[in-house]
Amino acid sequence: MSSAAVDNDILHKGAWYGLLRELLSMIPAAPGETLVLGQAKFVVGKRLERQGKRGAANAQHALERLSSVLAELALVEPTNEETAFAARLENAAQKAGLALDSGESLLCSLVVHRDLKHFATGDKRAICAMETLAQTHGEMARAAGRVLCLEQLFVRLLAAATDPGVVRRAVCDEHHVDRALTSCFSCSSPEIGPDQWTEGLSSYIESVRADAPSMLSVTVPEE
């Protein structure tokens, strides 16, 4: 039985960092219980291909990592009911000026309709949109406390890592991927240590929580 969903943003960034499998292992769900949209292979894959064509080094390696990990996850196609609810969410978000793209809205619908315990997303704006939409779409309230942001996964990964420096190097070597993570890991200040990296990540998490207090998980629960 599936218990978690992961968005394309985490797939993309995790593949670039070479930490996708490690980050996903921080979600309390076995790989076969972790859902990603069936379109992820093409959407994320094409994005990586475009970056490679523009000269981004290591894009091909990222694409290979993505393919390897996707083979272990559960690719899913939403039902008609789930697609219809996602469309309503996306339409409401557009009218309210909220940032919720089709992929995020479909995953929100999966979380609600399949009663998934966790939804890992790297899209802060989508988390904030979910918070607002829960006030007008009662079904969205079912997702309360189930959202995990990318930075929460990194906090747990740092705590579990034998050598936290390996995690930092992975992020800093690909500093173009996510400016917020590059800042949290103080990539321009090599003298800064693990405690400060965690502090930076925690500060970012709390900024997300301030905008989405009901949606964001209080902690990353253990399995």
Side-chain angles (χ1 to χ4, degrees), residues 12 31 46 49 69 84 88 107 112 151-152 165 192 221:
H12 176 256
K46 290 295 184 183
E49 288 177 359
V69 174
R88 292 198 296 274
L107 289 167
V112 168
E151 291 71 20
Q152 285 176 304
I192 301 298

Side-chain angles (χ1 to χ4, degrees), residues 90-214:
E90 195 172 348
N91 184 56
Q94 289 176 349
K95 289 182 178 179
L98 302 171
L100 188 74
D101 64 30
S102 59
E104 297 291 336
S105 64
L106 283 169
L107 289 167
C108 287
S109 187
L110 291 179
V111 171
V112 168
H113 287 88
R114 304 193 187 195
D115 194 28
L116 303 182
K117 302 305 179 186
H118 310 289
F119 174 25
T121 173
D123 190 336
K124 177 184 178 181
R125 296 182 304 169
I127 298 173
C128 296
M130 291 171 65
E131 183 77 23
T132 300
L133 291 171
Q135 300 172 22
T136 55
H137 292 68
E139 290 172 281
M140 273 302 303
R142 299 180 197 171
R146 302 187 184 193
V147 179
L148 302 171
C149 67
L150 179 57
E151 291 71 20
Q152 285 176 304
L153 301 184
F154 266 103
V155 166
R156 189 175 179 194
L157 183 57
L158 281 176
T162 303
D163 181 0
V166 172
V167 178
R168 181 181 186 268
R169 284 193 294 276
V171 172
C172 295
D173 285 349
E174 304 292 352
H175 56 83
H176 62 90
V177 173
D178 187 303
R179 291 181 181 178
L181 283 171
T182 297
S183 176
C184 288
F185 279 95
S186 302
C187 290
S188 61
S189 303
E191 72 279 4
I192 301 298
D195 288 346
Q196 286 73 33
W197 309 338
T198 299
E199 183 178 334
L201 290 165
S202 298
S203 178
Y204 186 91
I205 292 165
E206 290 311 309
S207 75
V208 177
R209 192 182 310 285
D211 293 327
S214 71

Side-chain angles (χ1 to χ4, degrees), residues 51-111:
Q51 291 174 311
K53 290 178 180 178
R54 291 198 296 265
N58 298 323
Q60 183 58 39
H61 292 308
L63 185 56
E64 291 168 0
R65 296 177 193 126
L66 174 69
S67 297
S68 175
V69 174
L70 283 180
E72 302 170 6
L73 305 180
L75 275 63
V76 64
E77 297 299 334
T79 65
N80 290 338
E81 181 183 7
E82 290 164 345
T83 300
F85 181 66
R88 292 198 296 274
L89 287 179
E90 195 172 348
N91 184 56
Q94 289 176 349
K95 289 182 178 179
L98 302 171
L100 188 74
D101 64 30
S102 59
E104 297 291 336
S105 64
L106 283 169
L107 289 167
C108 287
S109 187
L110 291 179
V111 171

Side-chain angles (χ1 to χ4, degrees), residues 2 4-8 10-12 20-25 27 29-38 40-41 44 65-76 120:
S2 301
V6 176
D7 79 342
N8 289 347
I10 286 181
L11 295 176
H12 176 256
L20 181 52
R21 187 172 281 103
E22 290 81 358
L23 287 168
L24 294 180
S25 73
I27 302 170
E33 298 176 346
T34 301
L35 301 182
V36 297
L37 294 174
K41 179 178 180 179
V44 182
R65 296 177 193 126
L66 174 69
S67 297
S68 175
V69 174
L70 283 180
E72 302 170 6
L73 305 180
L75 275 63
V76 64

